[in-house]
PDB file of all heavy atoms in Angstrom:
ATOM      1  N   LYS A1190       8.365  17.000 -24.519  1.00  0.00           N
ATOM      2  CA  LYS A1190       9.305  17.001 -23.452  1.00  0.00           C
ATOM      3  C   LYS A1190       8.840  17.841 -22.328  1.00  0.00           C
ATOM      4  O   LYS A1190       8.967  17.307 -21.097  1.00  0.00           O
ATOM      5  CB  LYS A1190      10.632  17.598 -24.007  1.00  0.00           C
ATOM      6  CG  LYS A1190      11.777  17.438 -22.870  1.00  0.00           C
ATOM      7  CD  LYS A1190      13.065  17.964 -23.470  1.00  0.00           C
ATOM      8  CE  LYS A1190      13.009  19.288 -24.021  1.00  0.00           C
ATOM      9  NZ  LYS A1190      14.405  19.851 -24.430  1.00  0.00           N
ATOM     10  N   ASP A1191       8.185  18.986 -22.436  1.00  0.00           N
ATOM     11  CA  ASP A1191       7.592  19.765 -21.437  1.00  0.00           C
ATOM     12  C   ASP A1191       6.597  18.982 -20.649  1.00  0.00           C
ATOM     13  O   ASP A1191       6.545  19.062 -19.457  1.00  0.00           O
ATOM     14  CB  ASP A1191       7.112  21.121 -21.884  1.00  0.00           C
ATOM     15  CG  ASP A1191       8.234  22.018 -22.318  1.00  0.00           C
ATOM     16  OD1 ASP A1191       9.337  21.772 -22.057  1.00  0.00           O
ATOM     17  OD2 ASP A1191       7.913  23.020 -23.085  1.00  0.00           O
ATOM     18  N   VAL A1192       5.573  18.379 -21.479  1.00  0.00           N
ATOM     19  CA  VAL A1192       4.514  17.638 -20.915  1.00  0.00           C
ATOM     20  C   VAL A1192       5.025  16.516 -20.089  1.00  0.00           C
ATOM     21  O   VAL A1192       4.670  16.154 -18.896  1.00  0.00           O
ATOM     22  CB  VAL A1192       3.483  17.155 -21.963  1.00  0.00           C
ATOM     23  CG1 VAL A1192       2.518  16.203 -21.403  1.00  0.00           C
ATOM     24  CG2 VAL A1192       2.833  18.347 -22.563  1.00  0.00           C
ATOM     25  N   SER A1193       6.032  15.728 -20.624  1.00  0.00           N
ATOM     26  CA  SER A1193       6.597  14.586 -19.847  1.00  0.00           C
ATOM     27  C   SER A1193       7.339  15.054 -18.709  1.00  0.00           C
ATOM     28  O   SER A1193       7.066  14.384 -17.614  1.00  0.00           O
ATOM     29  CB  SER A1193       7.645  14.001 -20.843  1.00  0.00           C
ATOM     30  OG  SER A1193       7.089  13.407 -21.999  1.00  0.00           O
ATOM     31  N   HIS A1194       8.070  16.168 -18.723  1.00  0.00           N
ATOM     32  CA  HIS A1194       8.628  16.719 -17.546  1.00  0.00           C
ATOM     33  C   HIS A1194       7.603  17.025 -16.442  1.00  0.00           C
ATOM     34  O   HIS A1194       7.737  16.757 -15.237  1.00  0.00           O
ATOM     35  CB  HIS A1194       9.494  17.839 -17.742  1.00  0.00           C
ATOM     36  CG  HIS A1194      10.114  18.488 -16.566  1.00  0.00           C
ATOM     37  ND1 HIS A1194      11.135  17.801 -15.936  1.00  0.00           N
ATOM     38  CD2 HIS A1194       9.971  19.599 -15.938  1.00  0.00           C
ATOM     39  CE1 HIS A1194      11.591  18.724 -14.943  1.00  0.00           C
ATOM     40  NE2 HIS A1194      10.853  19.694 -14.896  1.00  0.00           N
ATOM     41  N   SER A1195       6.452  17.637 -16.951  1.00  0.00           N
ATOM     42  CA  SER A1195       5.450  18.078 -15.961  1.00  0.00           C
ATOM     43  C   SER A1195       4.786  16.777 -15.358  1.00  0.00           C
ATOM     44  O   SER A1195       4.543  16.815 -14.189  1.00  0.00           O
ATOM     45  CB  SER A1195       4.407  18.898 -16.614  1.00  0.00           C
ATOM     46  OG  SER A1195       4.892  20.050 -17.025  1.00  0.00           O
ATOM     47  N   LEU A1196       4.554  15.783 -16.099  1.00  0.00           N
ATOM     48  CA  LEU A1196       3.925  14.626 -15.505  1.00  0.00           C
ATOM     49  C   LEU A1196       4.927  13.908 -14.663  1.00  0.00           C
ATOM     50  O   LEU A1196       4.397  13.453 -13.504  1.00  0.00           O
ATOM     51  CB  LEU A1196       3.561  13.620 -16.719  1.00  0.00           C
ATOM     52  CG  LEU A1196       2.372  13.913 -17.526  1.00  0.00           C
ATOM     53  CD1 LEU A1196       2.273  13.025 -18.822  1.00  0.00           C
ATOM     54  CD2 LEU A1196       1.227  13.976 -16.855  1.00  0.00           C
ATOM     55  N   ALA A1197       6.166  13.880 -14.896  1.00  0.00           N
ATOM     56  CA  ALA A1197       7.127  13.270 -13.933  1.00  0.00           C
ATOM     57  C   ALA A1197       7.105  14.062 -12.616  1.00  0.00           C
ATOM     58  O   ALA A1197       7.230  13.489 -11.517  1.00  0.00           O
ATOM     59  CB  ALA A1197       8.509  13.234 -14.452  1.00  0.00           C
ATOM     60  N   ALA A1198       7.053  15.480 -12.681  1.00  0.00           N
ATOM     61  CA  ALA A1198       7.119  16.222 -11.439  1.00  0.00           C
ATOM     62  C   ALA A1198       5.839  16.039 -10.667  1.00  0.00           C
ATOM     63  O   ALA A1198       5.838  15.992  -9.436  1.00  0.00           O
ATOM     64  CB  ALA A1198       7.229  17.737 -11.894  1.00  0.00           C
ATOM     65  N   LEU A1199       4.580  15.900 -11.458  1.00  0.00           N
ATOM     66  CA  LEU A1199       3.377  15.541 -10.739  1.00  0.00           C
ATOM     67  C   LEU A1199       3.461  14.268 -10.068  1.00  0.00           C
ATOM     68  O   LEU A1199       2.954  14.144  -8.912  1.00  0.00           O
ATOM     69  CB  LEU A1199       2.237  15.663 -11.645  1.00  0.00           C
ATOM     70  CG  LEU A1199       0.953  15.554 -11.065  1.00  0.00           C
ATOM     71  CD1 LEU A1199       0.560  16.666 -10.161  1.00  0.00           C
ATOM     72  CD2 LEU A1199      -0.233  15.638 -12.254  1.00  0.00           C
TER      73      LEU A1199
END
Side-chain angles (χ1 to χ4, degrees):
K1190 182 172 59 172
D1191 290 344
V1192 169
S1193 294
H1194 177 71
S1195 295
L1196 287 173
L1199 185 60

